[in-house]
Amino acid sequence: QVRLVESGGGLVQAGGTLRLSCAASGTIGSINTMGWYRPAPGKQRELVADITSGGGTNYADSVKGRFTISRDNAKNTVYLQMNSLKPEDTGVYYCDVRYYSVGYYGEYYSWGQGTQVTVSS
């Protein structure tokens, strides 16, 4: 079983900065893509950003240039640096980790519990 522990959420004013982190622990063969999601109108969750094991990144158009995703493989941790925050960034941010287990074929995934980000105007 893989457990994800998220932290870094909070309340900030518009233009402020937060740094989210998500640490994976448990039985993991290797971690593939790691990403951050948040609720969006008409969707249960939308991709905010993700990063592959090779370092390739994807960002939602609404956060490009403001958010930066990174990972520390030694710590099995993914980060989301959130700069120039806007009220519309408010929401619960969920970490998603795709990984290979030990002794089994195929890719698995795990979701974090979510961390609240609130941006006031």
Side-chain angles (χ1 to χ4, degrees):
Q1 301 296 321
V2 174
R3 173 179 169 81
L4 304 181
V5 179
E6 298 161 307
S7 63
L11 173 64
V12 298
Q13 295 185 34
T17 297
L18 287 173
R19 191 191 191 207
L20 308 183
S21 65
C22 173
S25 62
T27 303
I28 305 171
S30 62
I31 296 178
N32 301 321
T33 300
M34 309 175 78
W36 292 93
Y37 293 74
R38 68 187 182 190
K43 302 178 181 179
Q44 189 164 341
R45 295 176 185 178
E46 71 170 356
L47 175 69
V48 178
D50 65 18
I51 182 168
T52 68
S53 61
T57 59
N58 291 295
Y59 296 94
D61 289 340
S62 60
V63 308
K64 287 181 179 178
R66 299 188 297 118
F67 292 8
T68 302
I69 190 169
S70 62
R71 61 193 288 167
D72 185 337
N73 291 328
K75 297 181 178 180
N76 287 338
T77 300
V78 61
Y79 305 94
L80 186 66
Q81 181 69 39
M82 307 165 65
N83 299 327
S84 302
L85 282 162
K86 304 176 180 179
E88 49 263 46
D89 294 320
T90 295
V92 180
Y93 285 67
Y94 298 89
C95 177
D96 172 70
V97 173
R98 311 277 162 158
Y99 66 98
Y100 288 119
S101 187
V102 176
Y104 296 92
Y105 295 107
E107 189 178 56
Y108 296 82
Y109 67 90
S110 183
W111 288 96
Q113 80 286 352
T115 184
Q116 177 69 45
V117 171
T118 303
V119 185
S120 65
S121 59

